[in-house]
Each structure stands twice: as structure tokens, then as C-alpha cells.
Amino acid sequence: MVGAVASGVKKQGALDMAMLVSDSPASAAACFTTNKFKAAPVLVDKETLTSNKGAGISAIVANSGCANSVTGDGGLEDAKKMIEAVDKSLGMGTGHRSSLVMSTGVIGQRLPMDKIISGIKRLSKGDLLGSDHKHWLTCARGIMTTDTFPKLVSKRFTMGNIQYTLAGLAKGAGMICPNMATLLGFFVTDAPVEPKALQSILSKAVSQSFNCISVDGDMSTNDTISALANGAAGGELITQGHPNYNILQEEVTDFAKTLAQLVVHDGEGSTKFITLKINDAITYEDAKKVANSISNSPLFKTAMYGEDANWGRILCATGYAGAEVNPSKTNVSFVPIDGSAELKLLVNGEPQNVDEVRASGILKNEELEVKIDLGTGGGHSCEFWTCDLSHDYVKINGDYRS
Amino acid sequence: MVGAVASGVKKQGALDMAMLVSDSPASAAACFTTNKFKAAPVLVDKETLTSNKGAGISAIVANSGCANSVTGDGGLEDAKKMIEAVDKSLGMGTGHRSSLVMSTGVIGQRLPMDKIISGIKRLSKGDLLGSDHKHWLTCARGIMTTDTFPKLVSKRFTMGNIQYTLAGLAKGAGMICPNMATLLGFFVTDAPVEPKALQSILSKAVSQSFNCISVDGDMSTNDTISALANGAAGGELITQGHPNYNILQEEVTDFAKTLAQLVVHDGEGSTKFITLKINDAITYEDAKKVANSISNSPLFKTAMYGEDANWGRILCATGYAGAEVNPSKTNVSFVPIDGSAELKLLVNGEPQNVDEVRASGILKNEELEVKIDLGTGGGHSCEFWTCDLSHDYVKINGDYRS
């Protein structure tokens, strides 16, 4: 069951608290930010998952509007009180740490605990919680900050002869950068998964999805993606050696990619959704370095916004990424989404005579793929998603707090 | 003697070629971009300095409007032809490589060599070259691209009882990022300096000046800072062991800092000049990593543009910089330039009750210092200069080529 409420942390009665309650205690896993300043809910959830060994988690509560980050010892106490309030309201008994907690919003402000606690009480009464699409949508809205739409994905898949469900949501539009679990998100499945297997599946999925997107290169102090698996659909318990492990891994990775791409589609102020395909790198890590570097280049991003086929900026960001490159074997192309032939910009390090009319036509689309072959002979690839940098990004972030 | 001419590479008769001619052959040194895609003039200058062992350089020619970068073998030939044309026009004989060459502008286009050669011929006739302030200004204008003002510094200093001069210029407003010799710039001195000593002095000066600035985090394929020393003012030859070596090092470093700061003042679309002082890091490199991370954070830069005291973004960028930090000993302050007391935002990891009126007053100034103590006990510091990210940056770079 999921739902959301307006606790009063955000102004004007906006939804600002989301809750997910599992029918039964679930296996849990999470990936957290690698920022040195970890927010209080991140530190507390880490503690919970360690002490519970990733088992017995029944709920997730997430508030928006205040990140409970860089709030000192008081902030840690607040996060623990949130958990206690959820556990108590849901009759799970205190001291067991049966919930995970997330916060997102402004850094450096304490949570208004009276509002938070009363919000949790109202939510856990149950009449605001449910399992249909409307409830999931409300839940996804409850954790939005600068997001312009709720981010929600669900899918069904079969293992053996049992049908399982994956459903989840995420928030995030700015302070989005790879190499960590980015932003807030959680998803649930009714498949039976042992906690260690769930963590391993989640970590791999996140590395190829939420860690392969960038809006602005800023890594938040609160980034958390967590997963619950309660086994309600039945079937054998999935461990790391189980034949269903790889099937589930693939399903979860695909699912996480879809959810992560929604975040890029909602990139603050963005007007373009750009897929970067980096090929023929010495290693996967090198390919990702190049994608990361291009996706964080303000010059690349503003050129995309201006629909300017200035591929020199792509080369430039490739060259300073710190990855192995063979300049005289490097290729760069724009790949249109309509399935027509790719537009070659650079072949074996030599600039091509570019049909500027066609280039401009491709860049006018809202979606675009940039393909780069690094020419190292290593053969490793990475797929990555990013967006452009527009006037609206500056507007949104020039005055976020007021 | 210095000067500039409109060779026709840029449209509408704008100055686009600058030249510096030394009275006598000089010692030369240079720091180049570390981008894997090095522009043709960078590769050719490296070759020249190696084969000449940094001696016997009489001129520098630099064109703007076309970067001669990612131009394949043809581009290398073009750069060599530029050198030959300068050497020939100045009567230095061919095959000696007596000049250095620089290019800046659009990447991936070949130089229009007829215009370049005729520009060199017109410039080297001498009536366009001179040594007064007007000529230096013209010369600085000749290498501008998106710069809004020419960047020129000169100073006099004394070693022993001889007075020496340092004069130089730079261009750059975008594609500016540290950890390399950023942008184009050159300076000359009439002090007598042995080439190896000159290179060592230049490298150290650049690491604390041009490598400590960032406008947008993009590292160009053409970045070059070079120095000529012709000894015209007399005195003993300065080698690495000479007593004047350290004096000259200090003078050159100060000079380079002033020139580098001019680039930040002209940061594309910028409205604020921000000094970052990172203190108490484990190493100088760690302090620089933090400064680099903050200076490249779009969220920090847009907050500064919006005059929003959102210090959480400073913390956030500090936390993902990859440097050692002690979160519970970290301090953050705004230091006003009027000499009034610093405004403490975070003390020992605890947020302070910030006087928002005073914070907003400090942020309204065009200049500001942000001071961060990482609390590691290591005691190492770094000073770094950056600017904000405004609507105009997006405007300038959304459509650079048209």
C-alpha cells in the first residue's frame, strides 16, 4: 500500500510525505550517496540495514521540502524519531527499526518534527493508503521537489510459471550526477529474494541506470535508491546461486533504466533527452568516464540547447575525460531517433563535410543519440543518458530557496 | 614589439591575429593543455621547444576565429607553414623554427591559409608593431574570441640593482578549467633566464594561477601559456641555483595570478568574481580538488548568480570532491570584501543561525570570498578563483558558431 499527505513542511498544502507499507516484512536493499556529507536519513538507514541484515523491513517513509542534511546530532535523532513514529503507527513495535526513511529538499535545516510526526500519524491510519494507480501517483507526487511530473514505473514478468510485479518510483530533476545512487527512489517486488541477493541485484542495476545519468553533475547528500521484496507472489527463495537470479537481475536492471531515464526527461529546465553511446573503450569504466565528462560539459549542454552541431565540444570533453583514446581512430556521429542513417561528424579523427541542414534537422528533435567510438580496440561500451542546459535551469536554481 | 591585424579569418574586419617580436632571440617556455585531442599548434610548439631546447625563439604569432584543432595532418602542415611565414617575414631564415604559434576559435575547421599568410606578411612589415600601451592593447584584442575586454598586465621589479619588466596578455572567457595551462596567453621579460629555469618558473606560476581558475569546467584543446625571456635589461643569467631565481619565481607567480584573475573577471556571462579559500586540507592537491569541485558545480554557480546564501550546495560539492574531509570539524564562511567580519554559515559541522539580511547584503557585491576549513588537521591551503553561471552564459554558448 502506498500514499502521500501534505504534512505542512512544504508551503501551500503541497504533498510532501510519501509512505509505502508492505503487506508483510520484506527483504530490503539500498544504494546510497558517496558524498562525504551524508544526510541523517542516509546514515540511519545504513545502520538499520546493517543491524537487521536487510530483513524485516515493512515500510518506507520519505518527506520532501527539507533534506535533514548537515543537521548534526539533532538531525540523526530526528531521523530515528521518524522511524519510531512509523513503526509505532503501523503497530510494528518500537526498537526494531522496521522502516526506512528518506528526506529531500533544502540542506542545513532541521525537520519541523511536530509536522512530520502528525503527518506520519495521518498517513498510517490507512485511509490515505492503497494499491491502485491513483495511490502510486499520489505517492510519487509526495516526494517531488523541482520535479515537474511524478516518476512511476510498474511491470509484470514471469519466472517459472509464476507472475511477479515490480513497481517503483523516483524523484529528481537537479543535483543529479552519476557514480553513486542518485536521487531518491524505491521499488518493491512480490518476488521472494534473500537480502544479500537483493542487494547484489540492486547494486548492479543502479550502476547501469541511476549511475548512468547526469543532469548537472552535482551529487546530493541524500541520494538513496532502495528496494523491498516481500515474496507475496510465492515461489522459491531467490539466492545468488538460484536459476532465477539472472532473470530477476535483468528485469530489475531494465526497470531501473526506465525509472532513471524519467529523471533525465525531467532534468531541470531541459529541452532535450540525449543518449550517449560510448564504444570501443579499453574498459567499461573508461567508457563511463567519457560519457560522464560529456554529460557534465556546460559547453556541450548549451550547444545541444542551442541546437548547434558544434561537435568540437564533444571531442573536447572526450579528450579531458582521463580515459584512453586513440585520436586518429576516433569516430563521432549523431544518430537520429527516426531510424534514418547516422550523421558522421568525425571519422578516424578527420572532420567530415557535414550537411548542416540535416544536422540541424536532427538537433531539432527532442531526443537524440550521440555515438562515439574511442578507437582503442578494447571493445567496451557504455550507454548513458543526459539532457541539455537551458535558461530555465539557471532560473530554477538561481533562486531555489525563496 | 607587439601588434595585431584583421587577417579576414573573423568576419567584419575584426582583429584576429596578434604578433609579438622580441628584440633578440629569447629563452622560451610553455605550458600546454592536457586534453588528449591536442590542437595542431600545441603539437608543433611542443616539437619546436624540444628541438630548440627552449632557446632562440624570436616571435609568437596567435590567431583567433579558428582553433586549427582536430584538423588532422593538414592542420599540422598549416601550423608549420604559419611558423615558416613568420620566420621568413622577420628575416630569421627558414628551417630554424624561431617562432611559436597559437590558435583559438572554432574546433574542426581548417585555417584559411591564404588569409593567414597575408596577415602575417602585413603584420611583420613592422608599421603595425610597437611597444607602447596602445600596441599591447591592440595585440590583446587580436586574440579575443568571446572575451569582452582585452587582458593585459605589465609590471616592473628590481633584482640586484637592475630594473626588469614583465608584460603579457591572455585571452579566455569560456572553456576555462583548471588542472592544465588554461586558455591562450604569453608574456615576456627582459630578464636573462636560462630556458630550463624559465620552464620551471613558468610551470610553478601556472599551477598556482591559470590552473587555479574555472569558468565552466571545460578544458580546451588549445590551451597554451608561454613565456619569453630575452635578457635585454642585462644582469647575470638566472639558472635554477641562482639567488635571483626565487625572486623571479615570486614575481612571475604574482603576475600570472593577476592575468589569470582577469580571465575569471571576464567569465562568459558572469556577474560575480568569487575567491575560494580552502584551508586545513590533508594536501595542497586535496584543497585544490575541493575548490575545483565547488567551482564546477552548476548549483553553486547558479545560487551565486541568484544571490542565494544556499550554503548546502557548497557543502554538497565539498563532499563529492573526493578529498579528505572531517564533516564534524568543517567550517564554512562568507568573507565580505569590505573587510568586515566574516559571516559564519557552518561551524564544526553545525549550521549557524544565519543573518539572512547580512548574507544577502554580502552576496549583492560583485566580489565575494568563500572560506572553507576541511578540519583534517593537515593544514594545507589553496586559493582559487571562479565566477557564477548566468542566463548570459547559456545565451553565449547556445549559439556560438552562428
Side-chain angles (χ1 to χ4, degrees), chain A residues 66-312:
Chain A
C66 173
N68 191 11
S69 175
V70 198
T71 42
D73 289 340
L76 287 172
E77 286 310 308
D78 292 344
K80 286 177 196 163
K81 279 181 194 155
M82 274 177 82
I83 293 174
E84 280 162 28
V86 177
D87 287 3
K88 198 174 153 193
S89 301
L90 296 173
M92 296 183 283
T94 51
H96 296 299
R97 296 262 191 116
S98 310
S99 327
L100 296 177
V101 65
M102 302 178 180
S103 298
T104 178
V106 177
I107 297 174
Q109 291 179 359
R110 291 283 296 273
L111 287 170
M113 284 309 288
D114 47 340
K115 291 176 182 170
I116 293 283
I117 299 291
S118 107
I120 288 172
K121 280 184 186 158
R122 271 188 287 153
L123 252 178
S124 23
K125 270 188 200 158
D127 52 327
L128 292 170
L129 300 174
S131 299
D132 58 21
H133 185 66
K134 199 190 69 191
H135 285 101
W136 277 97
L137 259 185
T138 309
C139 186
R141 278 190 216 281
I143 57 167
M144 283 165 55
T145 53
T146 56
D147 305 64
T148 63
F149 58 85
K151 290 158 195 73
L152 194 61
V153 179
S154 72
K155 77 187 283 193
R156 287 176 189 280
F157 62 98
T158 305
M159 291 189 294
N161 49 7
I162 304 176
Q163 195 179 55
Y164 295 98
T165 307
L166 261 170
L169 48 84
K171 65 82 52 174
M175 223 182 241
I176 300 295
C177 179
N179 276 331
M180 76 235 69
T182 317
L183 47 81
L184 295 195
F186 51 81
F187 52 90
V188 288
T189 177
D190 49 10
V193 195
E194 181 256 340
K196 234 170 104 182
L198 186 63
Q199 182 65 54
S200 150
I201 284 172
L202 180 68
S203 298
K204 187 167 175 194
V206 164
S207 83
Q208 292 178 28
S209 57
F210 292 99
N211 285 354
C212 280
I213 60 172
S214 180
V215 170
D216 54 14
D218 271 301
M219 185 201 304
S220 149
T221 50
N222 290 55
D223 297 333
T224 302
I225 301 286
S226 63
L228 300 189
N230 67 9
E236 284 175 31
L237 184 71
I238 299 168
T239 56
Q240 284 180 289
H242 194 280
N244 284 351
Y245 179 88
N246 288 334
I247 302 172
L248 185 62
Q249 176 72 69
E250 210 168 297
E251 293 292 344
V252 171
T253 302
D254 274 2
F255 179 87
K257 280 184 185 173
T258 309
L259 203 49
Q261 286 170 25
L262 286 181
V263 173
V264 178
H265 274 290
D266 201 15
E268 282 175 350
S270 73
T271 71
K272 308 274 179 211
F273 178 85
I274 303 156
T275 301
L276 299 173
K277 269 211 185 122
I278 314 301
N279 295 325
D280 203 11
I282 286 282
T283 59
Y284 173 74
E285 288 65 34
D286 255 26
K288 205 159 163 177
K289 264 188 204 166
V290 170
N292 202 348
S293 175
I294 295 171
S295 74
N296 290 331
S297 156
L299 286 168
F300 168 69
K301 292 165 94 80
T302 48
M304 289 298 104
Y305 174 59
E307 300 178 350
D308 180 1
N310 195 336
W311 57 265

Side-chain angles (χ1 to χ4, degrees), chain A residues 364-383:
Chain A
K364 277 204 180 357
N365 290 311
E366 276 179 30
E367 295 200 20
L368 167 74
E369 181 183 314
V370 178
K371 198 177 84 172
I372 302 168
D373 298 328
L374 300 179
T376 66
H380 289 273
S381 295
C382 172
E383 210 173 5

Side-chain angles (χ1 to χ4, degrees), chain A residues 334-336 338-343 358 362:
Chain A
F334 287 159
V335 184
D338 62 8
S340 63
E342 62 184 86
L343 180 69
R358 182 151 186 254
I362 294 173

Side-chain angles (χ1 to χ4, degrees), chain A residues 36 218-219 308 319-320 401, chain B residues 36 218 308 316 319-320 401:
Chain A
K36 292 265 163 69
D218 271 301
M219 185 201 304
D308 180 1
Y320 65 69
R401 298 191 313 162
Chain B
K36 293 263 162 69
D218 271 300
D308 179 1
C316 186
Y320 65 69
R401 297 189 314 162

Side-chain angles (χ1 to χ4, degrees), chain A residues 34-37 69-74 106-109 174-176 216-221 268 293 296-300 302-303 305-313 315-320 322-328 330 346 349-351 356 389-402, chain B residues 34-37 69-74 106-109 174-176 216-221 268 293 296-300 302-303 305-313 315-320 322-328 330 346 349-351 356 389-402:
Chain A
T34 56
N35 197 303
K36 292 265 163 69
F37 293 92
S69 175
V70 198
T71 42
D73 289 340
V106 177
I107 297 174
Q109 291 179 359
M175 223 182 241
I176 300 295
D216 54 14
D218 271 301
M219 185 201 304
S220 149
T221 50
E268 282 175 350
S293 175
N296 290 331
S297 156
L299 286 168
F300 168 69
T302 48
Y305 174 59
E307 300 178 350
D308 180 1
N310 195 336
W311 57 265
R313 295 182 179 173
L315 251 291
C316 187
T318 302
Y320 65 69
E324 282 299 315
V325 186
N326 184 344
S328 66
T330 299
L346 191 81
E350 295 282 346
E356 292 275 349
L389 172 61
S390 73
H391 284 296
D392 279 354
Y393 181 88
V394 177
K395 206 163 146 188
I396 293 164
N397 288 299
D399 209 4
Y400 173 57
R401 298 191 313 162
S402 52
Chain B
T34 56
N35 197 303
K36 293 263 162 69
F37 293 91
S69 174
V70 199
T71 43
D73 289 341
V106 177
I107 297 174
Q109 292 180 358
M175 225 182 240
I176 300 296
D216 53 15
D218 271 300
M219 185 201 302
S220 151
T221 51
E268 283 175 350
S293 175
N296 289 331
S297 157
L299 286 168
F300 168 70
T302 48
Y305 174 59
E307 300 177 351
D308 179 1
N310 195 336
W311 56 267
R313 296 182 179 174
L315 252 290
C316 186
T318 301
Y320 65 69
E324 283 297 316
V325 186
N326 184 344
S328 66
T330 299
L346 191 81
E350 296 282 347
E356 292 276 349
L389 172 62
S390 73
H391 284 296
D392 280 354
Y393 181 88
V394 177
K395 205 163 146 187
I396 293 164
N397 287 299
D399 209 5
Y400 174 57
R401 297 189 314 162
S402 51

Side-chain angles (χ1 to χ4, degrees), chain B residues 11-345:
Chain B
K11 293 169 199 161
Q12 295 162 329
L15 290 173
D16 57 16
M17 182 180 284
M19 190 182 279
L20 175 145
V21 182
S22 170
D23 297 337
S24 55
S27 298
C31 293
F32 297 104
T33 182
T34 56
N35 197 303
K36 293 263 162 69
F37 293 91
K38 288 176 179 48
V42 168
L43 295 170
V44 169
D45 281 354
K46 281 193 147 186
E47 226 177 72
T48 302
L49 289 175
T50 306
S51 67
N52 289 14
K53 296 195 177 68
I57 299 294
S58 293
I60 297 176
V61 64
N63 78 280
S64 54
C66 173
N68 192 10
S69 174
V70 199
T71 43
D73 289 341
L76 288 171
E77 286 311 308
D78 292 344
K80 287 176 194 162
K81 279 181 195 154
M82 274 179 82
I83 293 174
E84 279 161 28
V86 177
D87 286 2
K88 199 174 154 194
S89 299
L90 296 174
M92 297 183 282
T94 51
H96 296 300
R97 295 261 192 119
S98 310
S99 327
L100 296 177
V101 65
M102 301 177 182
S103 297
T104 178
V106 177
I107 297 174
Q109 292 180 358
R110 291 283 297 274
L111 286 170
M113 286 308 290
D114 48 338
K115 291 175 182 172
I116 293 283
I117 300 292
S118 108
I120 289 172
K121 279 185 186 156
R122 273 187 287 153
L123 252 179
S124 19
K125 270 187 199 156
D127 52 329
L128 292 171
L129 300 175
S131 300
D132 58 21
H133 185 66
K134 199 190 67 191
H135 286 99
W136 276 97
L137 258 184
T138 309
C139 186
R141 279 189 214 281
I143 57 167
M144 281 165 56
T145 52
T146 55
D147 305 64
T148 63
F149 58 85
K151 291 158 194 71
L152 195 60
V153 179
S154 72
K155 75 189 283 193
R156 288 176 188 280
F157 62 97
T158 305
M159 292 189 292
N161 49 8
I162 303 177
Q163 195 178 56
Y164 295 98
T165 306
L166 261 171
L169 48 84
K171 65 82 50 175
M175 225 182 240
I176 300 296
C177 180
N179 277 330
M180 75 236 68
T182 315
L183 46 81
L184 295 193
F186 52 81
F187 52 88
V188 288
T189 177
D190 49 11
V193 195
E194 180 257 342
K196 233 169 103 182
L198 186 63
Q199 182 65 55
S200 148
I201 284 172
L202 180 67
S203 298
K204 187 167 175 193
V206 164
S207 83
Q208 291 178 28
S209 58
F210 292 100
N211 284 354
C212 280
I213 61 173
S214 180
V215 169
D216 53 15
D218 271 300
M219 185 201 302
S220 151
T221 51
N222 291 56
D223 297 332
T224 303
I225 301 286
S226 63
L228 299 189
N230 68 8
E236 284 174 32
L237 184 71
I238 299 168
T239 56
Q240 284 182 288
H242 194 279
N244 283 352
Y245 179 88
N246 288 334
I247 301 172
L248 185 63
Q249 176 72 69
E250 210 166 301
E251 294 291 345
V252 171
T253 301
D254 273 3
F255 179 86
K257 280 184 186 176
T258 309
L259 203 49
Q261 286 170 25
L262 286 181
V263 173
V264 178
H265 275 290
D266 201 15
E268 283 175 350
S270 74
T271 69
K272 307 274 177 208
F273 177 86
I274 303 157
T275 301
L276 299 173
K277 269 210 186 124
I278 315 300
N279 296 325
D280 202 12
I282 285 282
T283 59
Y284 172 76
E285 287 67 34
D286 254 26
K288 206 160 163 177
K289 263 187 206 167
V290 171
N292 202 348
S293 175
I294 296 171
S295 73
N296 289 331
S297 157
L299 286 168
F300 168 70
K301 293 165 93 81
T302 48
M304 291 296 105
Y305 174 59
E307 300 177 351
D308 179 1
N310 195 336
W311 56 267
R313 296 182 179 174
I314 298 172
L315 252 290
C316 186
T318 301
Y320 65 69
E324 283 297 316
V325 186
N326 184 344
S328 66
K329 291 275 178 201
T330 299
N331 304 320
V332 179
S333 300
F334 288 160
V335 184
I337 51 155
D338 62 8
S340 62
E342 63 185 84
L343 180 69
K344 293 181 179 183
L345 303 164

